[in-house]
Every structure is written in C-alpha cells, then in structure tokens.
Amino acid sequence: MKYKKTIITSIAAVVVALAIGVSAVMADNNSWRGTPNLSHTRSIIDQLGSKLSQQTSAINSLNQDKTNTANQMNAATQNVQDLKNQNNNLQNQLNQAEINKQNELGQKQAEIQQKINELGQKQAEIQQKIDEGNQKVSEKQKEVDRINNDLSVANAKASESQQKLNEMEQKYNSVNDKNNELQKELDNALQDAKDTEAHAQKVLNENNK
C-alpha cells in the first residue's frame, strides 16, 4: 500500500509538471512498467506463505498422529508382556499340578487331570491373545511407518515451498530496489521542473519590468 501511495503521488506530480509546460522532461519516462509486476510478485509471495502455513499445520497434525500411534503401540506391547507373564505363571501352575498329580494318586488323579485340562485351555486362550496382541503391534508399526513416510513427503513439500518463497522474496527485493531508483529519478525530474518553472518565472518578471 505504501508503494501504491508513492506511485499515485508521483504520477499526480508529473501531471502538474506537464500542466505548467515541462512535459518534455517526463515525456520518455517508461520506467513504471515494473509496478504491476511488483504487485503480482507480492501476491505470489502471499500465496506461497499461505501454502507454507497450511503445510506446517499438516506436518504438526502428522506429528501428533505419529505420537498417538506410538503410544498405542507401546500400550499394545505392554499388554503382550503382561499376557506373557500370565502365561509363565500358568505354566508354573501347570508344572506344579503335574507334580501334584504324581504325588496324589488315586482319587485326586481325576481332579488333577481336570485342572490340567482347564489350565491348558486357559493357556491356549492366553496364547491366542498374545498372537492377537502381536498382530496389533505389527499393524501399529505399519501405521507408524506410513505416517513417517507421509511426514517425509510433507517435509519435502514444505522445503520446496520455502525455497520458492525465498526466490520470490529475492525477486521482490530486486523489483523494490528498481522502484526506489525510479522514485529517485522522478524526484530529480520534479526538481528540474520546479527549477525550470522558477527560472521561467524569473525571466517573465524581468521582462515585465
């Protein structure tokens, strides 16, 4: 907006100079052709900045998903370990039951056998749960790998956007420098016009005496 104000003010000054008879000074001034390009460049920079912000939000979301998935995988791993501990305890009980079977023959034999069968069934159920837990851990690992891949792609896109933004900033700075040079040229031309007007007025005053 500051540059637009400067340009409008400068153009108004040129019009005034033309009105007082110094059109020859500004007749060949084609240096303002860069102004639309400057506005277009600024628009592109703003769009890239917006895309970079969106990409950063997407990266943050992926990082949060990765953390959540990792926590779930850790919980599943802990569940597997707990089931393994239960399985070990049951195996110890099963071994003890086998010893008791050998020591308590007769009437206790049927009860011991029943207990063994129950423990075996429980062990099979726990082993099934362990297998299911391992499957969940494997699935969570695949999900973590997928998120890591998405994160890498997002980071690559963010880097590309940042590079484009840097290039556009450089172009913007270059155009801005040219604009400053044109402003100086316009200021000098306006000063020449004022000097010419003052000199002409002085000549007129002297001729009227």
Side-chain angles (χ1 to χ4, degrees), residues 122-199:
K122 184 65 175 178
Q123 183 180 7
E125 293 174 356
I126 291 175
Q127 185 61 49
Q128 182 180 359
K129 290 182 179 180
I130 290 174
D131 294 337
E132 292 173 355
N134 285 331
Q135 180 65 29
K136 289 181 180 179
V137 170
S138 178
E139 292 173 356
K140 291 299 180 182
Q141 184 60 54
K142 290 180 181 179
E143 187 173 351
V144 168
D145 293 339
R146 179 186 60 77
I147 291 174
N148 281 332
N149 183 67
D150 292 343
L151 186 60
S152 297
V153 172
N155 282 327
K157 289 183 179 179
S159 297
E160 182 180 353
S161 295
Q162 184 63 52
Q163 182 178 359
K164 289 182 179 179
L165 182 61
N166 291 338
E167 292 174 355
M168 295 309 299
E169 284 290 352
Q170 291 177 355
K171 291 181 181 179
Y172 171 79
N173 292 333
S174 176
V175 172
N176 190 45
D177 291 339
K178 290 182 180 179
N179 185 66
N180 291 334
E181 292 177 2
L182 293 174
Q183 181 63 47
K184 290 180 181 179
E185 291 178 6
L186 180 60
D187 292 340
N188 292 334
L190 289 175
Q191 186 60 45
D192 289 343
K194 289 180 180 179
D195 293 342
T196 301
E197 182 185 10
H199 179 70

Side-chain angles (χ1 to χ4, degrees), residues 6-33 181-194 196:
T6 301
I7 292 168
I8 291 171
T9 303
S10 300
I11 292 173
V14 172
V15 172
V16 172
L18 289 172
I20 63 174
V22 292
S23 58
V25 177
M26 303 299 297
D28 196 31
N29 188 357
N30 295 322
S31 53
W32 291 108
R33 294 177 181 173
E181 292 177 2
L182 293 174
Q183 181 63 47
K184 290 180 181 179
E185 291 178 6
L186 180 60
D187 292 340
N188 292 334
L190 289 175
Q191 186 60 45
D192 289 343
K194 289 180 180 179
T196 301

Side-chain angles (χ1 to χ4, degrees), residues 3 42 84 87 97-98 107 125 130 133 173 180 201 204:
Y3 300 116
R42 182 73 264 177
K84 286 182 178 179
N87 185 57
E98 185 67 25
Q107 295 180 352
E125 293 174 356
I130 290 174
N173 292 333
N180 291 334
Q201 187 64 45
L204 289 174

